Amino acid sequence: MQEHADVVVIGGGIQGLCTAYYLLQHGKKVTVVERGDIAQGTTSCSDGDIFVCDSTPGYFTKLQIAALDEIVILTHKLDDFDWMSKGCVILAETEEQLETAKKQYQEKRLDGVKVRFMDQKDVHDDEPHTAPDIPGGLEFPDGGSLNPMLFAFALARAIRAVGGKISTFTNVTGIGKCKSGAINSVLTDNGTILCQQVVIAAGVWSPEIGKLAGIHIPITPMKGELLVLEPNVYITRRKTMDIGYSLLRHKAASDTCGITPEQSYGIGFLVEPTRENNALIGFCKYPANTTKSNPEVIRAMARRAIRFFPIIRNMNAIRSYAGIRPWTPDHEAIVSATSVPGLYINAGHAGDGIKLGPISGKLISQLMCGIQTEFDLSPLRLDRF
Ligand SMILES: Cc1cc2nc3c(=O)[nH]c(=O)nc-3n(C[C@H](O)[C@H](O)[C@H](O)COP(=O)(O)OP(=O)(O)OC[C@H]3O[C@@H](n4cnc5c(N)ncnc54)[C@H](O)[C@@H]3O)c2cc1C
């Protein structure tokens, strides 16, 4: 079987779907090729936090502000994906961490992010279940959360509605080039697709696809796990995490190695209420290539949650799940052309892939269509490594 498309997008996770969604708006004929079902990779194993509270100052914070704006636009264009705009809170555990919070407060204000400094009384007035000794924190009133699976399927419906094709259960096995070295086809176990452009959006599996085209993509697996609590007890009305969480998210993997489970597994505190009133409990970050839950990690995350919200001690967990973040050496994404003419990458979004999906999809589609990109893409180029 042989078919034709202008662009083949490899990967039906959030990045592949967003890339296809925006390319279609530029009139491209697009086929998404996904080896399993839609969003079966890391996208289905994440929570859907869309906040600008833990980004690197400067360029990356501005990119995240644009990312949030783009998601709010999509709430008016796509089917419902459980968007809840409630803001979030970051708590300090100690007076020393409160000083870090003050620094983050200044940095975020300089980048134009709305943020409020909270002292001990503010924190407890805001959420009475917070542990009494918590000395303060930061409130970010903007941003919210969404359901990543609903988001992915809403995108898929929008893609198909305008003639985009999504070939599920189709494994990419090769990338064809013409004599000049430019891309001319994608080989799959269901046949060949002739095309002029290819986007690698295969998340943590992108290096394997890169090899098929003869390029090195420096993405490695960084595991995350979440615990889901029973839905009948009120903890807090919005996502709440500790300063450690925001610091850990952007530390190198080697920095998180230590002797206690908290250090070895990069454990921070996060609680996130969902629309069904289940609370998700996290956070962890450690190099591993498996989606099997680790009981030691689950226990450490639960201990950490109880430290900040003691009411959790009496609650039951109903399940846990794990996923693998696509991690780059500088933990920022790759949204880039490559040395192979016609070959592009939109991958490596680490712990921010849901949030950055629409803005990355928009930017890579502008790059591929020869349109001035809304952001300078040099900090996201592959050749920075
Ligand atoms: C526990 C956890 C919590 C998270 N929380 C958040 C959060 O709150 N907010 C946020 O913004 N981000 C979060 N993330 C990060 C986010 O989930 C990822 O960055 C994002 O899902 C990556 O999307 P992707 O499309 O790049 O990869 P994926 O979703 O993994 O998609 C890649 C797809 O490529 C397919 N594929 C691979 N090889 C082939 C092949 N040979 N042929 C065809 N298809 C192939 C795979 O099957 C897969 O479906 C979290 C991650 C984890 C693990």
Side-chain angles (χ1 to χ4, degrees):
M1 197 186 77
Q2 200 170 68
E3 57 178 275
H4 175 265
D6 296 328
V7 186
V8 173
V9 178
I10 302 173
I14 207 69
Q15 297 306 330
L17 294 169
C18 287
T19 302
Y21 176 83
Y22 288 96
L23 280 169
L24 284 157
Q25 293 184 1
H26 295 295
K28 294 274 187 187
K29 186 176 178 207
V30 183
T31 297
V32 178
V33 181
E34 163 57 52
R35 72 176 167 193
D37 208 343
I38 290 166
Q40 76 150 32
T42 307
T43 298
S44 61
C45 310
S46 68
D47 46 336
D49 298 343
I50 314 295
F51 299 106
V52 187
C53 60
D54 52 16
S55 47
T56 310
Y59 174 90
F60 291 102
T61 296
K62 296 208 159 64
L63 186 69
Q64 294 210 356
I65 293 172
L68 171 57
D69 291 345
E70 199 59 36
I71 287 177
V72 173
I73 290 170
L74 290 181
T75 61
H76 303 294
K77 294 190 171 180
L78 301 178
D79 294 344
D80 177 40
F81 49 84
D82 269 7
W83 173 246
M84 295 193 297
S85 178
K86 293 186 187 168
C88 71
V89 170
I90 293 187
L91 298 176
E93 188 177 7
T94 59
E95 289 298 334
E96 192 189 348
Q97 286 193 356
L98 202 58
E99 291 307 309
T100 307
K102 285 179 186 161
K103 191 170 156 254
Q104 291 188 351
Y105 170 80
Q106 296 297 352
E107 283 173 357
K108 286 288 170 279
R109 276 175 60 97
L110 273 178
D111 280 329
V113 178
K114 275 192 215 151
V115 52
R116 175 170 77 107
F117 183 79
M118 300 163 98
D119 63 17
Q120 191 161 14
K121 180 173 182 312
D122 295 331
V123 161
H124 293 92
D125 287 350
D126 187 60
E127 285 297 349
H129 288 315
T130 313
D133 62 327
I134 296 300
L138 301 175
E139 179 194 37
F140 293 85
D142 288 342
S145 61
L146 56 80
N147 179 321
M149 288 300 276
L150 290 182
F151 191 32
F153 278 89
L155 283 160
R157 279 192 295 278
I159 288 167
R160 286 174 167 147
V162 293
K165 184 169 177 187
I166 305 176
S167 297
T168 51
F169 301 100
T170 303
N171 191 28
V172 169
T173 53
I175 295 192
K177 298 178 191 170
C178 53
K179 277 191 188 141
S180 69
I183 291 296
N184 68 4
S185 56
V186 168
L187 283 60
T188 79
D189 54 4
N190 279 330
T192 299
I193 310 170
L194 302 176
C195 58
Q196 290 88 48
Q197 291 177 312
V198 169
V199 185
I200 301 177
V204 77
W205 301 278
S206 297
E208 295 164 24
I209 308 289
K211 265 189 210 153
L212 298 176
I215 59 164
H216 173 63
I217 304 178
I219 291 176
T220 53
M222 188 67 79
K223 192 177 175 194
E225 306 198 28
L226 289 162
L227 187 60
V228 186
L229 299 187
E230 60 187 354
N232 48 1
V233 180
Y234 177 85
I235 304 168
T236 176
R237 70 187 183 288
R238 58 195 164 171
K239 179 178 169 172
T240 306
M241 54 234 145
D242 70 327
I243 291 275
Y245 163 91
S246 60
L247 296 176
L248 273 167
R249 263 170 84 89
H250 295 293
K251 267 180 144 182
S254 53
D255 293 349
T256 63
C257 293
I259 42 165
T260 64
E262 280 73 7
Q263 289 171 324
S264 327
Y265 296 117
I267 307 263
F269 160 65
L270 131 74
V271 59
E272 181 186 338
T274 64
R275 193 182 272 183
E276 282 72 36
N277 205 28
N278 288 102
L280 304 179
I281 300 290
F283 162 94
C284 71
K285 190 196 92 180
Y286 61 101
N289 199 4
T290 167
T291 53
K292 199 166 177 275
S293 290
N294 177 335
E296 198 184 355
V297 170
I298 298 294
R299 276 194 290 272
M301 293 194 313
R303 277 198 298 273
R304 199 79 194 125
I306 292 165
R307 161 70 185 97
F308 286 88
F309 284 92
I311 190 174
I312 293 173
R313 182 186 301 278
N314 301 319
M315 295 180 66
N316 293 316
I318 54 174
R319 71 183 180 101
S320 65
Y321 62 94
I324 313 164
R325 303 178 187 93
W327 202 260
T328 64
D330 64 5
H331 60 74
E332 304 294 356
I334 304 170
V335 182
S336 178
T338 68
S339 55
V340 178
L343 183 65
Y344 296 81
I345 302 171
N346 185 13
H349 294 74
D352 287 330
I354 308 298
K355 172 169 44 188
L356 293 173
I359 193 70
S360 302
K362 193 176 189 189
L363 292 171
I364 195 104
S365 68
Q366 290 169 343
L367 179 70
M368 293 172 69
C369 295
I371 298 166
Q372 178 68 46
T373 56
E374 284 173 28
F375 268 81
D376 168 24
L377 284 183
S378 40
L380 304 176
R381 283 170 63 118
L382 175 65
D383 61 11
R384 73 182 188 273
F385 296 112

